[in-house]
Amino acid sequence: MARDASRVEAFSDAVIAIVLTLMAVELLQLGPRSERDLTEALAHEWPAYLAYVITFAIVGQVWLTHHNMWRYVVRVDQLLLVFNLLLLLFVAAIPFTADLLADNLRGSVTDQRLTAALYVGSVLGEALFFNLSWWWARRRRLLHPDLDPRLARAVALRFLVGPVLYLVAFAFVFVNPVLSLCLYLLLIGVYLVRGPGDLPSSAR
C-alpha cells in the first residue's frame, strides 16, 4: 500500500543539510601554513574554494529540484523510496568527490581527469535517479491527481536536460579542468531560471 510522502521529504532534507555541512568542513580547511603568511595561505587554497562554491550550488540545486518535485508526490511505494535513497547516495558522495577534485586540480592531467570523472559520476547519478523517481511516480500514479499531464511531461523533459548538460561539462575536462568546473556553475544558472514545476516567483 502506498503511503504519505511527507516523511520522505523530511528525511531527504535532513540528509542534504548534513551533506552541505560536511562539504563545508571538508573543503574549507586551511592547510599547513609553514612559512606562508595568511594571505598567501588563503590564496593557495583557491581550488578548494572553487570546488566549494560549485558543489554548494549543485547540492543547492538538488534541494530546490527535490523540493519542487515532491510538492506533487502525494503517496510513495517501495520502489520510489529505493530510488530516492539511491539519489541521496549520490548526493552524499558529492563532498568526497569535490574534496578529491580540489586536492588534484593542480595535479597531473591523469589525476585531474580521474577526479573530474568521479565528480561528474556523483552529480550524474543523482540526476539519473531524479529522472527515474519522476518516471516511476507518474507511472504508478503517485502524483497529485489534479496535476496537469502536460505539466508532468514538461517536468520530465526538464529533468532529462540535467544528465545531458553534466556530460557536456565533463567533456570540457579534456580541454581545461577549471573551465569544466565553471561550466557547472553556468548549468546551475540555467536551472535557477523558473521552469515547469517550479514554485511561482511570487505568492498568488
Side-chain angles (χ1 to χ4, degrees):
M1 178 182 292
R3 298 188 62 182
D4 177 80
S6 58
R7 288 186 63 192
V8 181
E9 189 171 7
F11 173 75
S12 302
D13 285 349
V15 171
I16 292 172
I18 292 169
V19 166
L20 289 172
T21 303
L22 291 175
M23 185 181 65
V25 171
E26 288 295 323
L27 292 175
L28 299 183
Q29 295 187 56
L30 193 61
R33 288 172 59 182
S34 61
E35 298 301 320
R36 301 191 189 112
D37 62 20
L38 180 58
T39 302
E40 185 182 354
L42 288 170
H44 182 74
E45 297 296 329
W46 69 265
Y49 308 147
L50 180 62
Y52 173 77
V53 169
I54 292 169
T55 306
F56 189 95
I58 288 174
V59 177
Q61 179 264 321
V62 168
W63 180 80
L64 284 173
T65 305
H66 194 277
H67 176 71
N68 285 324
M69 170 186 157
W70 282 81
R71 289 188 301 126
Y72 299 109
V73 180
V74 293
R75 297 176 300 128
V76 296
D77 64 8
Q78 185 73 11
L79 193 54
L80 184 59
L81 290 176
V82 170
F83 285 155
N84 191 67
L85 282 173
L86 290 171
L87 184 156
L88 294 174
L89 179 149
F90 282 100
V91 172
I94 290 176
F96 167 71
T97 57
D99 191 37
L100 279 179
L101 191 62
D103 288 343
N104 292 280
L105 203 54
R106 288 175 296 203
S108 68
V109 173
T110 301
D111 289 345
Q112 289 175 354
R113 290 175 178 171
L114 175 59
T115 52
L118 292 173
Y119 189 77
V120 77
S122 59
V123 296
L124 185 59
E126 56 84 6
L128 291 174
F129 279 105
F130 259 123
N131 280 275
L132 280 173
S133 298
W134 187 251
W135 168 78
W136 184 254
R138 290 176 65 200
R139 177 185 174 88
R140 301 298 295 177
R141 298 181 180 177
L142 302 174
L143 303 175
H144 197 286
D146 293 334
L147 178 62
D148 188 335
R150 291 172 298 179
L151 176 58
R153 286 193 296 272
V155 172
L157 288 173
R158 192 182 190 206
F159 281 178
L160 283 173
V161 171
V164 175
L165 294 180
Y166 287 141
L167 287 173
V168 169
F170 173 66
F172 275 84
V173 79
F174 296 97
V175 178
N176 185 304
V178 176
L179 175 61
S180 176
L181 277 178
C182 291
L183 277 176
Y184 284 108
L185 274 181
L186 178 62
L187 302 182
I188 297 305
V190 171
Y191 267 101
L192 290 179
V193 177
R194 185 173 177 269
D198 287 353
L199 286 167
S201 55
S202 60
R204 298 298 181 101

